[in-house]
Amino acid sequence: MKNDGYQNIEQWFAQRGWEPFDYQRKVWEAFLSGKNGLLNAPTGSGKTYALYMPLLIQWIDEHPETYNELTDNDLQLLWITPLRALARDIEQALQQVADDLEIPWKIARRTGDVSSYKKQKIKEQMPEVLITTPESLHILMAQKGYKNYFSDLDAVVVDEWHELLGSKRGIQVELGLSRLKHLRPELNIWGISATISNLQEAHDVLLGTDGTKEDSVIIKADIEKKLELQSVLPDDVEKFPWSGHLGTKLLPKILPIIEESRSTLIFTNTRSQSEIWFQQLLEAKPELAGTIALHHGSLSKEVRRWVEDALHEGQLKAVVCTSSLDLGVDFTPVETVVQVGSPKGVARFLQRAGRSGHQPGSTSRIYFVPTNALELIEAAALKTAARHKVALESRDPILKPHDVLIQYLITLAVSDGFIPNKIYEEVKTTFAYQTLTQKEWNWILNFITTGGQSLSAYDEYSKVIEEDGLYKVVDKKIKRRHRMSIGTITSDTMMSVKYLNGAHLGSIEEWFIASLKPGDKFWFAGRSLELVRTKQMTAYVRRANTFKAKVPSWMGGRMSLSSNMSNILRQKMHQAIEGSADDIELETIQPILDVQNDWSTLPDDDELLIEQTTSREGHHLFFYPFEGRYVHEGMSALIAYRISQLTPITFSIAKNDYGFELLSDKSIPIKEALAQNLFSDKNLVEDIFASLNDTELAKRRFRSICHIAGLIFKGFPGQQKASRHLQSSSSLFFDVFDQYEPDNLLLQQAYDEVLSYQLDETRLRRALKRIQSQKITLKTTERFTPLAFPIMVDRLRERLSSENLMDRVQRMQLQLEKHV
């Protein structure tokens, strides 16, 4: 016989005309039997209820007579989420259930969007359910007496775990859980994941190595999510851009989609692209004003909150957005998703598709809008992967980032202090730090107490003191600065954008504002603005009545093909060669593929194509591994270095997701280089570092490491330091460590991150091994081919203004079309 808690929950479902899914019941049973685990279920299938309801069942059963009368019960459930917008959505959903069941629980958020007043109220009296981010969890743990916040904690749910896994924010979660498990040994820990392939590894990373994962479970929802995929095709592919990343040529075909849908999310891959699309939608159809909105992470919380509320209430026909809305948010009115440009990964594409039809049994509908002709091949690849449910990407965990551990230890020292041996044992129970040696631990303790070998002469780096075996921070200034700096998301210094009356619009990277002078016009937050003046770290603006204005760009916005997408892309090329594909996208792009075949060849999936040609610029070599721009960054430098070992020669290098170009004023001895095993993976690391300015690359990685480890401080609100000062400080630290302390763990971490993340050494090695087994075809061409043209344009983009570039590209494409 079912207990009262079960009956109440099932009655709640029945009142809404719902029936709990089998997987939800399995989660409830596992949770209530004390098991930990990972839930894998498609977007919009009720994952939130799967992990919220068992806690309510447990509460009702433990308080059968008084469960709806007890108040101030302290924190029962901690819900960790990667997105602020998602936190707000979850808060509303959980509070509604509690209210419906007359359970007097308060659900609250503690994120960067919450006011200081509400944060203070949370500290004074914890709600029964707290929804927070990894950063905010650590800020709580930096408060005096933080252990009291978690004294009655029963469960932790980590939402969208696949999004945190493989990032330093995920490491923060691992460390936070290691502390909470020590405070509450019987704690229930569950993760929620949608689109990921390495589920077992994700499960192991979440639960750590302390026995928490023993008798744990992975529960998969056996639910078929209906998905409708359609590509928006150009009428004349031969006149469609061969390169580019905006996609606005197809904007007229998007207007009917918006008109026919109740509400549409238009996803772009960068914030700049979202600003441009919003602007051009308004210009194409002014009557949309007031019914479309813009949403990305640089807008103020007030603007984002208004957009989210309006979406919930069905007031908006369309929202142009970035990844700021692609996780778990439930906007019921959204019927359609438009993806502008390739998302470069299958999982990301499906995640965004799931924003529409975000209810059990509903259909998710997504339109793919290519930004250039070759993206039609990616469209075909995405549709194949989605329909057959193959090629979901894995998320590889990060191991031993010393900067995050340093920040965490200072967090504990700022609050109540810590005893090193106890915390060392806790830290080693995490997946990330399970191999942390005593020597490394001692180095880190020495670093936070003395500044280490290089900085011991400077008192400001002796942040932590030791008293009777307890490590703690006593300096109030250090405490304040540290609490302001907690987190692992680093970016260039941001400048606030405000109207003259003080209304806040959001933030833009400092370098962009520095490129403007008073009177210049730019687009931001969907508005045309005029820069009036800058003061400290604020840009004051007024409205400008013009569509001709600059669009801000943010650093690091371009994504790279995932390894799975690369594989499917090569398979689609094979199908195009064999004529075995029935994809409308490949049929549409066939004229361009025919040109490629006529002027050179179409590379098969077991073939590496190299094209050589000459122009007024010099001698060009184009390589097409189809491995993504990050791998091509390392591979191009490697190949250039190895060729230069045969003969003195210098190169200009350009790359995109499909290949890379080497340009020289001298003839390039490619045949001789191929005979010397050009693509060997032997001595790979040595040759990569010899081919690149590894010191400069490591310096760039070191900037964020410096910030996370607390070596540099960006400043208090309204008093932020300029980017050039921060870069100068981090470079100085790098040079000091490099000269006087070469075994500094943070310095070593910078070089490791260059290999692991920027150059993706593991994937690069796999690509080289694959190429060694492939047929290598060397073709001499008379002109730039459709595959070569976009790579060459990427090189020009770095030298020309956007206006000059577009004019030149259009002239070049017209010249090429004459030869078709």
Side-chain angles (χ1 to χ4, degrees), residues 590-704:
Q590 194 60 50
I592 304 297
L593 299 182
D594 290 341
V595 173
Q596 174 67 34
N597 208 30
D598 290 342
W599 293 358
S600 173
T601 189
L602 274 175
D604 210 335
D605 58 350
D606 62 350
E607 177 183 14
L608 174 70
L609 172 63
I610 304 173
E611 293 176 346
Q612 59 180 354
T613 190
T614 57
S615 72
R616 285 179 295 179
E617 292 182 294
H619 299 266
H620 306 257
L621 278 180
F622 293 94
F623 300 74
Y624 304 106
F626 292 90
E627 281 290 347
R629 65 172 52 247
Y630 293 159
V631 173
H632 293 161
E633 180 177 3
M635 188 182 292
S636 59
L638 177 71
I639 298 305
Y641 168 75
R642 288 177 174 175
I643 293 176
S644 70
Q645 298 305 292
L646 301 176
T647 182
I649 190 170
T650 58
F651 294 102
S652 294
I653 298 177
K655 69 270 181 188
N656 68 6
D657 281 312
Y658 303 153
F660 58 89
E661 173 200 29
L662 301 183
L663 169 63
S664 177
D665 58 354
K666 296 181 180 180
S667 179
I668 305 172
I670 181 60
K671 291 183 180 179
E672 183 181 350
L674 289 172
Q676 296 292 325
N677 204 5
L678 180 62
F679 293 96
S680 170
D681 61 321
K682 292 182 179 178
N683 302 317
L684 175 59
V685 174
E686 294 85 349
D687 285 356
I688 285 180
F689 278 144
S691 67
L692 294 163
N693 186 345
D694 59 321
T695 299
E696 183 57 34
L697 290 175
K699 274 188 177 181
R700 293 177 189 173
R701 302 295 305 190
F702 191 71
R703 290 171 193 166
S704 65

Side-chain angles (χ1 to χ4, degrees), residues 5 29 75 81 101 162 251 281 351 354 363 374 397 404 423 591 618 643 650 670 672 681 709 735 779 790 806 813 817:
E29 292 169 5
L75 184 62
T81 175
L101 292 171
H162 62 278
L251 186 144
L281 279 169
Q351 190 77 40
T363 298
L374 291 178
V404 184
I423 296 299
I643 293 176
T650 58
I670 181 60
E672 183 181 350
D681 61 321
D735 292 338
K779 288 282 187 178
M806 290 309 300
Q813 186 164 339
E817 287 170 359

Side-chain angles (χ1 to χ4, degrees), residues 292-326:
I292 65 171
L294 183 65
H295 192 289
H296 60 68
S298 290
L299 302 180
S300 69
K301 65 181 180 182
E302 291 80 13
V303 171
R304 285 184 278 111
R305 184 174 298 169
W306 178 86
V307 174
E308 291 159 17
D309 287 343
L311 260 180
H312 273 294
E313 295 166 8
Q315 298 176 0
L316 295 174
K317 286 292 289 181
V319 174
V320 185
C321 57
T322 62
S323 57
S324 59
L325 286 182
D326 72 357

Side-chain angles (χ1 to χ4, degrees), residues 3-15:
N3 53 27
D4 290 340
Y6 260 109
Q7 290 174 346
N8 285 17
I9 297 303
E10 297 218 0
Q11 184 179 5
W12 182 87
F13 272 83
Q15 288 171 349

